[in-house]
Amino acid sequence: MRRVASYSFLAFGLCLSMAILTGCNSFSSGSSASAPKITSFVANPAAVTAGGTATLTAVFTGGTGVITPGNLPAISSAAVNVSPVDTTIYTLTVTNSTGIPASMTATVTVLTAQTITFANPGAQTVGTPLTLSATASSGLTVAFASQTTSVCTVSGKTATFLITGTCTIQATQAGNGIYAAATPVSQSFTVSAALTAQTITFANPGAQTVGTPLTLVATASSGLTVSFTSTTTSVCTVSGTTATFLIANTCSITASQAGNATYAPATPVARSFTVNASSATDPTSSVLPSYDDAYANWKNAGLLSVGGIPNRTTVCATVNPLGGGQDDFTNIQNAIDNCPKGEVVQLGAGAFTVHIADLPIQISTAIVLRGTGNCSGSATPYCQTSIAVSDGALAYTGGVCGTDTSHEVTCPNGGPPLLYVSPVSIFNWSWAQCGNPGFPLGTGCGATPLDADAAQGQTTIQVHNTSNFSVGQWVLIDEASGAGWVPDPLNARTGYGQIWAASDWLNSSGSPATGRVMWSKSQNGGGWDFGSSYPYQASSVGCWHSYCDRPTAELHLIASIGAGPCPGANCSLTFDDPLTVAFRQSAGHNAQVYQAEGNQSGTSPISFLQNAGAENLSLLRAPNGGLGMLFCAYCWAKNVEVGNWYGGGVNISYSARSELNTVYVHHCWDSVNSGTEYPIALDDATTELLVTNSITNFGGKGMVARAGGAGSVVSYSYVDDTMYDAESGIGDYWLDMGLNASHYSTPHHVLFEGNWADNLDNDHTHGNSVYITFFRNQGTGMRTPFIDPSLNKEVNDFEEIGYACGTTGPTGCWQNAPAPFRAAGPMAYNYWFAFVGNVLGLAGETTAANGWTYQGDWNGHRMFMLGWNDSGGGGQDPYLTGVSGSYIFIHGNYDYVNNAVTWDSSTPDHALPNSFYLSSKPAFFNDGSGYAWPWVTPTGSQPVQTGPSGCGGTCSALPAKARYEAGTPFVQP
């Protein structure tokens, strides 16, 4: 019998032709069972959004069906639901009883969802067309259609209003091969009859005077109220109907009327007029030496020149804490980023949590971040709204971070603060393509040199060109120190031989007011602070807070620009207030002006962030500073607690006319000698800053100013209980600087007025300060007794109980009498200070009977510890002995050693003004029970006033101190 061969084959042609139409339906021959057959396999719909459902339906015979992926059983003509997250090709395989398969595919495309943003256009008017605007998150074009065609019609993007009524317009986006159709968004609004025209009558008010307010008057033909705005805010500002004139120049004010349901908006009317200089009397005249006088700048400190901190009322977003330790950073930052200028991000009451990796929370536009409530608590957090870094600072653990002491980790080495108010990221900026300060000026630096020396008090400077500048721009001006070797006045004690200082540092007169830089670099003794390096060399101490060896620096606002030609006498910049000190091109000082740039290459100019603020917040456990400001003008923090921090409490750099008002900065949890233990730092050319009605304690010093502070005011604040902790290598016994503007070279022209502090002093660490004024302060000479939280032991200066410490914690501490006791300084090398109208000491405590003397070095308890020196053998600076010819001005101060006022013999004027910068009583003195102002009255029957009768007459007469002693740092008794 002939044997017949059996073959298996694949019907390639049939499979290929079917795959083109319906997928590949394959089978094998040579089997006794019928091959499976797939008639159809389809997805409906064939496109869905992620997570959407599609139905797979197959028609087949001759076998059992399975759909992959998913191994889903399939029955002919029965639906199978699938929800793919990405585009998926599904394969139906039908297999007969002998294993012969057939297959077919169906694809489900997953489309990206999109949304439409379509704001309600608001009320419209019959006959006035409207251009419609909406966006799709996909970027695809949005279409519009009227749902009420009898009232309004749409053609393209233009809506036409036919009759009065309600118009409803729908925005749609149909999608494409990538995006699904968006959910339509409809907006309904009122269409009113055509509005009646109106006009404004606004007469030109004529020439005005700086400092004299004007009530603006204008009328609308409609009878509606007219509003006013200034278009020259550097010259004049408007609040309601009151115009305030800041500088002599041209003021332009616009009157407008927005209309209502009956009247159309009026055409605005603008009026321009001259503002003349003020004839107001400088209150420092005949009382303060001219070289110390910066009244023209002090009166503009903070937001004083623009009427104070504004009260913003429009809330753009409300954010509530997630609770349970969840991370609130994204919700807070998104709300800030999406808030329109001039509005408020309102944080709800409760505890917000962020992490180190999140930081910073950044405010980069003119908005306010505001907590709920009035910070009325009696324990930290004092504010009803708090933001804490959950893995941040830990209390007195040697500077480690973590969620708790069982989960300690190394803190970041540097980094952003918890809250950062700036238009730029921390390192993405430069001045005029000169790089970040910290290095010498590089080649190609775009700073503009002065072509002539400029003296203290000048508002106009001559420059080489003006092409980089514009009116309304904030600029940096600085100069090189011109330093060289100068004999050390204390050489007999220090053995330093010579010190690196400016050639005019030891001039016998304070005039003219010049930088007079002294660096803590010595010829002998190992170089003192610098070793073998010099201040002009990169990475030296001379570059920490300025361009190398250029610490004399200020910020100024350009009010006008000379007509030119450049260079030449009319190639000039005029500022809106004067230089506080000279800036010289001559004698190697090479003064320059810089514009701010948004990156190192200088391709993106920076406009200072203006009118941004933080209010009613507790900022806690920050590892690198609680609050930072950079490139800020007219920014503020009000009713803000910064507690339990590392890396500085509040750090302000390259900022102007910003304000800390009713701020409480306390408890550096790593209070060691690291340069980061200071509650407040005015650094890096910061100018005309105002710190007022505030409290600092439990930091290494009361504050510092490092190459910054010109024209700034620190007023009516309570500074107490400075301390170094149990791991500091120092201990709480050491009375460091209380109220001061020091700790780097050449802070100048800072006014301290109306404060309470354990001492009014300045150090010479890293360099000198010059032209600092203390007026109507109380310097007590001793701290209020306190519990050292790193030891849990009382420190009591009155009982001479304190503790010196090593670096190992409480077990490495031992009892040591506190020192040095002094009501006022300054330390050696700090010249041309003014102490006027202060009260020094405490009644019944700092007396001759208790061993106190009026003045001397640090080997005793002093009212004035003039020229004292804590390094290189001690001693007293021979230029600061308090005798005639000393480089210091002391006038009208009351002290409790002499129980009398001491006057400068060459100054006949004994009439002390109420203030060196204010024209009237600060408003916060009227809060609570109401407080007398001024509260420090050295020539009065009581040198220091007592608190009001409303608090029993026993509270402090200084509101900030009264609040702290009442246990409510933000609520005045």
Side-chain angles (χ1 to χ4, degrees):
M1 181 174 68
R2 187 176 181 183
R3 192 174 183 89
V4 179
S6 175
Y7 297 92
S8 296
F9 64 92
L10 189 64
F12 286 102
L14 176 61
C15 177
L16 178 60
S17 61
M18 290 185 68
I20 294 172
L21 299 174
T22 62
C24 180
N25 183 359
S26 62
F27 59 90
S28 297
S29 66
S31 170
S32 61
S34 299
K37 179 181 181 181
I38 302 173
T39 304
S40 64
F41 180 40
V42 294
N44 185 28
V48 297
T49 57
T53 300
T55 300
L56 302 176
T57 306
V59 177
F60 59 87
T61 58
T64 301
V66 175
I67 298 172
T68 57
N71 292 321
L72 306 173
I75 299 173
S76 182
S77 300
V80 175
N81 292 331
V82 291
S83 299
V85 295
D86 294 304
T87 297
T88 303
I89 299 172
Y90 291 93
T91 301
L92 168 67
T93 302
V94 179
T95 307
N96 68 7
S97 59
T98 63
I100 297 175
S103 62
M104 185 176 290
T105 60
T107 300
V108 179
T109 300
V110 175
L111 301 175
T112 302
Q114 62 170 324
T115 58
I116 293 173
T117 300
F118 178 27
N120 194 303
Q124 301 296 317
T125 304
V126 171
T128 302
L130 169 70
T131 299
L132 298 167
S133 176
T135 58
S137 59
S138 62
L140 299 175
T141 301
V142 176
F144 303 95
S146 171
Q147 308 295 297
T148 52
T149 53
S150 64
V151 178
C152 54
T153 60
V154 174
S155 175
K157 294 183 178 181
T158 301
T160 302
F161 305 108
L162 310 175
I163 62 173
T164 60
T166 298
C167 171
T168 300
I169 292 177
Q170 186 179 76
T172 59
Q173 213 305 306
N176 59 12
I178 298 173
Y179 291 94
T183 301
V185 177
S186 296
Q187 296 290 1
S188 297
F189 47 91
T190 300
V191 179
S192 303
L195 301 177
T196 302
Q198 60 169 327
T199 59
I200 292 174
T201 300
F202 179 28
N204 194 308
Q208 302 296 315
T209 303
V210 171
T212 302
L214 169 70
T215 299
L216 299 166
V217 177
T219 59
S221 59
S222 62
L224 298 175
T225 300
V226 175
S227 62
F228 302 93
T229 56
S230 169
T231 55
T232 52
T233 53
S234 65
V235 179
C236 53
T237 60
V238 175
S239 177
T241 59
T242 301
T244 300
F245 304 107
L246 310 177
I247 63 170
N249 211 309
T250 298
C251 171
S252 295
I253 292 177
T254 299
S256 57
Q257 213 303 308
N260 61 8
T262 303
Y263 289 94
T267 300
V269 176
R271 298 295 182 221
S272 298
F273 48 91
T274 299
V275 179
N276 296 314
S278 172
S279 58
T281 302
D282 179 348
T284 71
S285 296
S286 74
V287 179
L288 195 65
S290 61
Y291 50 76
D292 284 319
D293 182 6
Y295 166 70
N297 305 85
W298 295 334
K299 68 183 178 64
N300 289 332
L303 281 82
L304 291 171
S305 65
V306 292
I309 295 173
N311 180 25
R312 300 269 176 83
T313 57
T314 302
V315 175
C316 63
T318 299
V319 182
N320 291 307
L322 295 172
Q326 297 182 79
D327 194 335
D328 292 292
F329 171 79
T330 299
N331 289 345
I332 296 172
Q333 191 64 61
N334 284 346
I336 291 171
D337 292 344
N338 291 304
C339 189
K341 294 180 180 179
E343 298 187 11
V344 178
V345 173
Q346 181 71 60
L347 300 183
F352 289 82
T353 298
V354 297
H355 298 138
I356 290 175
D358 297 325
L359 302 181
I361 298 171
Q362 183 168 357
I363 299 174
S364 58
T365 57
I367 65 101
V368 174
L369 181 65
R370 179 184 293 158
T372 296
N374 63 348
C375 299
S376 59
S378 57
T380 189
Y382 291 95
C383 298
Q384 284 74 24
T385 300
S386 64
I387 305 174
V389 184
S390 63
D391 55 349
L394 294 173
Y396 305 107
T397 54
V400 299
C401 290
T403 54
D404 53 51
T405 53
S406 297
H407 301 86
E408 295 180 355
V409 296
T410 301
C411 291
N413 182 18
L418 170 48
L419 180 61
Y420 181 51
V421 188
S422 175
V424 293
S425 62
I426 289 180
F427 300 111
N428 191 28
W429 58 273
S430 71
W431 285 105
Q433 305 177 45
C434 298
N436 286 134
F439 296 92
L441 301 180
T443 58
C445 173
T448 301
L450 272 65
D451 273 359
D453 291 355
Q456 178 195 30
Q458 280 187 215
T459 56
T460 299
I461 62 172
Q462 184 179 334
V463 294
H464 195 68
N465 68 72
T466 60
S467 60
N468 291 327
F469 306 110
S470 59
V471 171
Q473 181 183 21
W474 285 96
V475 295
L476 168 70
I477 181 170
D478 73 2
E479 69 168 25
S481 73
W485 291 119
V486 175
D488 177 11
L490 279 163
N491 181 57
R493 288 296 194 111
T494 65
Y496 286 159
Q498 300 190 85
I499 289 176
W500 195 258
S503 59
D504 59 353
W505 174 52
L506 295 180
N507 278 9
S508 59
S509 171
S511 294
T514 55
R516 306 198 184 193
V517 172
M518 166 263 170
W519 291 109
S520 51
K521 176 173 178 59
S522 60
Q523 190 176 44
N524 304 323
W528 196 358
D529 206 27
F530 280 78
S532 61
S533 66
Y534 286 81
Y536 53 80
Q537 293 176 324
S539 302
S540 73
V541 176
C543 314
W544 284 356
H545 291 283
S546 65
Y547 286 115
C548 294
D549 198 32
R550 302 179 72 90
T552 305
E554 299 179 4
L555 301 175
H556 284 278
L557 181 66
I558 298 176
S560 63
I561 297 175
C566 290
N570 293 321
C571 185
S572 62
L573 303 177
T574 297
F575 302 136
D576 73 339
D577 64 2
L579 303 174
T580 69
V581 73
F583 287 90
R584 298 157 291 180
Q585 181 61 29
S586 63
H589 291 290
N590 301 321
Q592 299 185 133
V593 185
Y594 310 69
Q595 71 279 7
E597 303 284 2
N599 51 44
Q600 295 295 335
S601 62
T603 58
S604 176
I606 294 173
S607 293
F608 270 41
L609 171 58
Q610 300 191 105
N611 301 305
E615 300 172 359
N616 306 341
L617 293 171
S618 290
L619 306 175
L620 307 173
R621 296 186 60 198
N624 286 300
L627 173 64
M629 290 184 185
L630 172 69
F631 291 130
C632 260
Y634 307 108
C635 298
W636 68 89
K638 185 174 183 180
N639 290 340
V640 171
E641 173 193 10
V642 179
N644 310 335
W645 42 270
Y646 302 160
V650 178
N651 300 306
I652 301 176
S653 298
Y654 292 111
S655 293
R657 295 185 191 163
S658 294
E659 185 165 335
L660 304 179
N661 189 315
T662 320
V663 169
Y664 178 29
V665 189
H666 63 93
H667 287 92
C668 174
W669 273 358
D670 187 31
S671 193
V672 302
N673 188 24
S674 63
T676 60
E677 69 272 25
Y678 312 129
I680 296 173
L682 311 185
D683 293 341
D684 312 335
T686 287
T687 303
E688 294 175 14
L689 195 97
L690 176 61
V691 181
T692 192
N693 197 30
S694 295
I695 304 168
T696 70
N697 53 24
F698 296 96
K701 303 178 189 289
M703 61 174 291
V704 293
R706 297 172 290 197
S712 295
V713 176
V714 179
S715 64
Y716 306 104
S717 294
Y718 173 46
V719 178
D720 199 1
D721 295 342
T722 57
M723 57 153 277
Y724 283 87
D725 68 32
E727 299 191 27
S728 63
I730 301 173
D732 56 40
Y733 86 95
W734 179 253
L735 278 74
D736 211 315
M737 301 295 122
L739 205 59
N740 75 103
S742 61
H743 214 57
Y744 193 78
S745 190
T746 328
H748 60 278
H749 292 97
V750 179
L751 169 64
F752 294 99
E753 177 177 300
N755 305 282
W756 188 109
D758 61 282
N759 63 69
L760 318 176
D761 204 350
N762 256 55
D763 67 39
H764 57 227
T765 307
H766 312 311
N768 69 324
S769 301
V770 64
Y771 307 120
I772 306 298
T773 297
F774 293 89
F775 180 63
R776 288 194 185 271
N777 304 281
Q778 184 176 17
T780 62
M782 294 189 288
R783 300 168 294 186
T784 303
F786 63 94
I787 300 297
D788 178 341
S790 71
L791 290 174
N792 199 30
K793 292 182 178 180
E794 184 184 44
V795 178
N796 191 321
D797 292 349
F798 299 87
E799 300 296 331
E800 298 197 356
I801 297 173
Y803 298 89
C805 296
T807 59
T808 58
T811 59
C813 298
W814 60 95
Q815 191 165 325
N816 194 92
F821 287 139
R822 76 280 188 203
M827 290 183 72
Y829 311 127
N830 294 290
Y831 302 143
W832 309 114
F833 281 36
F835 289 85
V836 180
N838 302 285
V839 171
L840 304 180
L842 286 168
E845 296 289 347
T846 57
T847 63
N850 288 336
W852 285 72
T853 59
Y854 180 68
Q855 83 87 19
D857 65 13
W858 73 330
N859 292 312
H861 301 349
R862 316 293 192 193
M863 292 290 96
F864 277 104
M865 191 173 284
L866 295 175
W868 66 284
N869 182 40
D870 66 343
S871 60
Q876 186 176 26
D877 189 323
Y879 296 110
L880 289 173
T881 59
V883 300
S884 178
S886 290
Y887 292 1
I888 191 168
F889 180 71
I890 297 174
H891 185 62
N893 302 286
Y894 182 95
D895 71 87
Y896 288 101
V897 168
N898 295 308
N899 289 311
V901 178
T902 301
W903 299 97
D904 177 67
S905 59
S906 61
T907 304
D909 192 341
H910 292 184
L912 301 179
N914 289 336
S915 173
F916 275 175
Y917 80 104
L918 293 173
S919 60
S920 60
K921 180 180 182 179
F924 55 81
F925 271 82
N926 295 320
D927 292 344
S929 301
Y931 293 70
W933 181 80
W935 74 279
V936 175
T937 51
T939 59
S941 58
Q942 289 180 245
V944 176
Q945 298 298 303
T946 55
S949 58
C951 62
T954 59
C955 64
S956 173
L958 176 64
K961 189 169 188 286
R963 295 195 309 270
Y964 181 78
E965 291 174 342
T968 54
F970 295 95
V971 178
Q972 205 152 298

